Amino acid sequence: MSMIINGATGPWELVIGMEVHAQVISNSKLFSGASTTFGAEPNSQVSLVDAAMPGMLPVINRKCVEQAIRTGAALGAEINLHSVFDRKNYFYADLPQGYQISQFKQPIVGPGRITVDLKDGETKEIGIERIHLEQDAGKSLHDQHPSKTYVDLNRSGVALMEIVSDPDMRSPEEAAAYLRKLRTILRYIGTCDGNMEEGSMRADVNVSVRRPGEPFGTRCEIKNVNSIRFVQQAIIYESQRQVDILEDGGSIVQETRLFDPGMGETRSMRSKEEAHDYRYFPDPDLLPLVIEQAWVDEIRASLPELPDAKKARFMEQYGLSAYDAGVLVTEQVTADYYETVAKGSDPKMAANWITGELFAFLNKSGQAIDESPITAAKLGELMALIKDGTISGRIAKEVFEAMTETGQGAREIVEEKGLRQVSDTGALEAIIDEVLAASPQQLEQYRAGKDKLFGYFVGQTMKATKGQANPQVVNDLLKAKLEG
Amino acid sequence: MRYGLRVEGESLADMYMNTRAAGFGEEVQRRILIGTYTLSAGYYDAYYLKAQKLRTLIYRDFMAAYEDVDVILTPAAPTAAFRLGETTDPVTMYMNDVFTVPASLAGLPGLCLPAGMSADGLPLGLQLLARPFDEETLFRAAGVMEDAAAFHAAPKAWWGDRS
């Protein structure tokens, strides 16, 4: 599903690679005991190590290492039992050490892959080149004072995983699908909350264009894009910009660019000449990180069922379409919710209700599925009432609405409002007889071959029963009576 | 800048540059520059990576030697100490470290002990190098040598006595 830009001189193919910075879920920082809680008072979670006081020494956080291994394992990647931390030197006010502790030549996680879900149930494999562990920097606050910049070091030293993809994506949609899938997996395994708005997941996007089949062109890197929508917009703008330059006979200058969401464009941040020279070298304060294969195996064995496996199982076990299964497994809580509902009712019906009524309601109320007043157990009760014929699907929507308003149980509402479906053939037969008697003209026409009038009789019967008649029973009875 | 020297400047970057220019001596500046150069993206592979490989070769060379011997004895330096300010050529000074640097590169324990006097009456040292983590052998060998050399010379002048 390549996106091709047709220029005046011929077609151009997009080539996209991504570096995702994912903040590791851990109680304390990568090399210090300071807390990582988001939203604390500025500079209240800063240890002497994070502030780079002279003589302070970093100590690796085992939990962060475990999270990186866990992530690598979930992406089917090689785990390097021997990895090395390097100093990446650059100068900035929110980096007190003057260098970021990162991994350069020997990262903890080697090649892996992600299967991304595209439109119409199609999938594509995107290669993961590597994942390495590194420290986050502090935050510069430019809007607190008219002429000064404030620095908040709470984030300084928090563990990040930099997840580097291969240049395997060929369209903005594939890039978005990659980010969505990566986020889903990280949330499943609990190594990153994937919250792009809060900055706990950020993407650097590498974009280049080329003639189809030819070698890669020169790329530009778009830094720190913080939503999936912006990633797509940035790619569209940037690729068109590059095509315009190339078509005019120019050449692309390798550089770092910034995306401006307000203007919807990318702008040069620094050229190759101004590029940072990080002067990597192994951090002499840290020994190489050596881990045991047994620990890796243990972590691998503790992984939950991952989205792809769950999706396949939902299709197999519950007979769901690839699309529905894909939607339901996006979030683990949704998948769990679904399974609770599906167990006591028709699985396909449960899927339809969750992706339809429930999602629409949650969208409107702005609630997450685990905050829903309609719990999985309550929706399950409603589904059971449909399944056993107590109410029809149409009445169920009415009951659902009442449930969202009152928080009452489905059975309670049905009893209270007298919505129980009439399936009693005797009672329905009497009503149908009345309906037929009241419409002699239509009856005559129907018997003369106007089959379509069947629906008219159904409608009249439902009306007479205030919608509470079991539609299937009405159909059967009507058919018998009209034929007879 | 909370600790040490601070030389003001027009901007933050100026202040840093002024401070470092004033606070670091020539040799320190030279080493920072050489280090920065060899670690720079353009020369990383040519110098830094190559040097890392070379370091491995040096280590292997030592380990091969330790198959036959337990410690290696060298002079601590090729000459006795030169007078303050007498030699300013950096290469000459680097050459003076030639016997002690290999142990640092290979990650070996080394020990220097006083051994005798030069014709000018300046102290000369000997160096012992042992296998990685074999400090025990190193100290034992050095102890034996120290006793045998019976080196008891003390400097004629001490800075403390000049006041």
Side-chain angles (χ1 to χ4, degrees):
Chain A
M1 240 198 18
S2 292
M3 174 171 161
I4 301 290
I5 297 180
N6 283 304
T9 61
W12 298 91
E13 184 184 44
L14 269 67
V15 176
I16 303 155
M18 244 182 288
E19 290 159 27
V20 171
H21 291 91
Q23 219 170 64
V24 173
I25 294 177
S26 63
N27 292 328
S28 57
K29 297 181 180 181
L30 182 53
F31 295 113
S32 85
S35 167
T36 57
T37 313
F38 182 79
E41 267 300 286
N43 295 311
S44 63
Q45 297 175 167
V46 186
S47 77
L48 295 171
V49 175
D50 309 322
M53 286 296 155
M56 295 300 115
L57 291 173
V59 177
I60 187 105
N61 180 341
R62 183 185 169 96
K63 177 71 182 181
C64 298
V65 176
E66 182 185 329
Q67 294 286 57
I69 297 170
R70 204 171 162 73
T71 305
L75 301 181
E78 288 170 27
I79 308 297
N80 296 322
L81 299 181
H82 182 278
S83 65
V84 172
F85 285 99
D86 297 276
R87 290 184 179 181
K88 178 179 177 178
N89 298 279
Y90 69 97
F91 184 78
Y92 204 70
D94 57 25
L95 186 80
Q97 287 168 143
Y99 55 85
Q100 175 192 32
I101 303 177
S102 180
Q103 297 190 300
F104 183 45
K105 292 274 178 187
Q106 299 180 64
I108 183 164
V109 177
R113 80 204 61 78
I114 272 188
T115 304
V116 302
D117 304 288
L118 304 170
K119 258 186 254 164
D120 309 322
E122 265 183 80
T123 60
K124 180 176 175 174
E125 294 249 303
I126 306 293
I128 302 289
E129 185 196 312
R130 58 184 282 168
I131 303 174
H132 63 254
L133 274 170
E134 62 184 25
Q135 298 175 300
D136 208 343
K139 212 184 262 174
S140 296
L141 308 168
H142 302 290
D143 54 1
Q144 306 289 304
H145 188 277
S147 61
K148 290 181 180 172
T149 293
Y150 288 2
V151 175
D152 176 7
L153 293 181
N154 282 353
R155 207 179 62 184
S156 167
V158 169
L160 295 178
M161 294 179 282
E162 180 169 324
I163 304 164
V164 183
S165 85
D166 288 325
D168 287 349
M169 288 156 272
R170 297 286 177 269
S171 67
E173 290 74 32
E174 289 185 6
Y178 170 77
L179 280 174
R180 273 197 294 268
K181 189 56 169 284
L182 181 60
R183 186 171 60 182
T184 295
I185 293 172
L186 295 178
R187 285 182 176 165
Y188 261 66
I189 59 176
T191 60
C192 171
D193 67 26
N195 192 332
M196 294 188 83
E197 295 74 45
E198 282 179 10
S200 48
M201 189 169 137
R202 320 188 277 274
D204 296 345
V205 191
N206 286 295
V207 179
S208 64
V209 297
R210 64 171 176 185
R211 296 292 190 194
E214 291 199 354
F216 293 144
T218 304
R219 67 190 159 85
C220 289
E221 182 183 19
I222 311 161
K223 276 266 176 211
N224 264 335
V225 192
N226 64 2
S227 86
I228 292 177
R229 195 160 56 91
F230 292 161
V231 165
Q232 297 189 77
Q233 287 176 2
I235 292 169
I236 290 167
Y237 177 88
E238 179 60 20
S239 53
Q240 187 63 52
R241 186 189 73 88
Q242 293 184 11
V243 167
D244 290 347
I245 291 173
L246 293 168
E247 297 242 303
D248 285 347
S251 54
I252 304 302
V253 184
Q254 188 179 334
E255 61 179 359
T256 305
R257 300 178 68 84
L258 274 183
F259 179 67
D260 177 342
M263 303 293 286
E265 61 183 29
T266 64
R267 280 200 297 271
S268 181
M269 183 177 156
R270 50 177 184 256
S271 67
K272 198 180 177 186
E273 290 75 49
E274 299 161 321
H276 286 141
D277 196 338
Y278 295 119
R279 300 165 352 256
Y280 285 98
F281 64 93
D283 192 319
D285 290 342
L286 289 160
L287 290 166
L289 177 62
V290 179
I291 52 182
E292 304 274 332
Q293 183 60 47
W295 191 35
V296 176
D297 294 341
E298 199 182 298
I299 294 169
R300 214 184 280 278
S302 76
L303 286 177
E305 182 181 39
L306 294 170
D308 287 338
K310 203 184 274 290
K311 181 179 165 187
R313 180 168 65 80
F314 278 15
M315 291 168 69
E316 163 86 28
Q317 185 176 341
Y318 301 121
L320 300 185
S321 67
Y323 178 80
D324 279 346
V327 169
L328 291 171
V329 303
T330 304
E331 299 285 347
Q332 178 117 43
V333 282
T334 309
D336 292 346
Y337 187 104
Y338 168 71
E339 289 210 88
T340 307
V341 178
K343 288 237 161 75
S345 65
D346 175 43
K348 277 191 191 171
M349 182 170 76
N352 289 338
W353 272 81
I354 291 170
T355 57
E357 302 295 317
L358 182 72
F359 279 5
F361 163 70
L362 293 175
N363 252 335
K364 216 165 68 185
S365 70
Q367 283 165 308
I369 196 162
D370 48 1
E371 301 164 343
S372 170
I374 300 181
T375 61
K378 281 184 175 166
L379 188 61
E381 187 186 320
L382 180 64
M383 297 295 101
L385 291 177
I386 303 174
K387 198 183 176 195
D388 70 13
T390 307
I391 54 173
S392 68
R394 209 179 58 77
I395 292 291
K397 288 190 182 173
E398 205 177 301
V399 176
F400 181 88
E401 181 110 13
M403 286 165 76
T404 64
E405 283 160 10
T406 64
Q408 280 175 295
R411 191 169 294 280
E412 203 182 333
I413 291 169
V414 168
E415 296 306 335
E416 209 168 87
K417 296 197 173 183
L419 296 173
R420 187 174 276 279
Q421 177 166 262
V422 183
S423 303
D424 175 346
T425 44
L428 282 177
E429 249 177 300
I431 293 168
I432 288 171
D433 285 341
E434 277 172 38
V435 167
L436 295 183
S439 319
Q441 211 181 330
Q442 283 84 350
L443 189 61
E444 201 174 307
Q445 287 175 351
Y446 179 86
R447 293 212 161 119
K450 218 171 170 194
D451 290 356
K452 279 183 187 160
L453 278 170
F454 188 77
Y456 167 81
F457 295 115
V458 174
Q460 289 299 307
T461 310
M462 294 309 279
K463 201 171 155 191
T465 60
K466 298 194 188 87
Q468 283 168 249
N470 182 330
Q472 194 53 51
V473 178
V474 170
N475 269 336
D476 292 346
L477 288 175
L478 258 178
K479 204 161 274 173
K481 285 209 181 280
L482 288 169
E483 267 20 9
Chain B
M1 208 166 288
R2 190 181 287 233
Y3 304 101
L5 182 72
R6 180 191 188 109
V7 181
E8 295 299 339
E10 303 236 319
S11 65
L12 182 71
D14 277 345
M15 188 270 285
Y16 280 115
M17 281 193 277
N18 294 344
T19 304
R20 289 169 188 186
F24 291 139
E26 274 197 6
E27 185 53 33
V28 173
Q29 291 188 16
R30 190 155 38 231
R31 291 194 183 203
I32 289 173
L33 282 175
I34 292 172
T36 302
Y37 184 75
T38 54
L39 285 174
S40 66
Y43 297 94
Y44 198 90
D45 292 3
Y47 292 118
Y48 189 66
L49 282 190
K50 207 166 215 172
Q52 284 183 312
K53 289 174 186 164
L54 196 58
R55 185 175 60 185
T56 303
L57 294 179
I58 293 170
Y59 173 79
R60 282 190 198 150
D61 202 20
F62 271 107
M63 295 316 280
Y66 287 130
E67 287 185 9
D68 301 322
V69 301
D70 295 319
V71 288
I72 296 169
L73 179 68
T74 76
T79 65
F82 27 76
R83 288 175 187 284
L84 200 60
E86 185 181 67
T87 304
T88 52
D89 171 36
V91 176
T92 307
M93 290 197 284
Y94 294 157
M95 289 304 282
N96 224 262
D97 298 336
V98 75
F99 289 117
T100 46
V101 166
S104 303
L105 291 176
L108 306 174
L111 185 158
C112 284
L113 68 154
M117 305 289 267
S118 72
D120 299 336
L122 288 168
L124 294 172
L126 283 174
Q127 175 184 237
L128 282 170
L129 302 175
R131 296 185 183 93
F133 301 107
D134 193 17
E135 276 83 351
E136 189 188 338
T137 304
L138 191 66
F139 284 121
R140 282 168 56 202
V144 170
M145 285 181 61
E146 190 175 37
D147 290 344
F151 182 86
H152 300 304
K156 284 178 192 154
W158 187 250
W159 288 274
D161 297 336
R162 289 185 179 175
S163 55

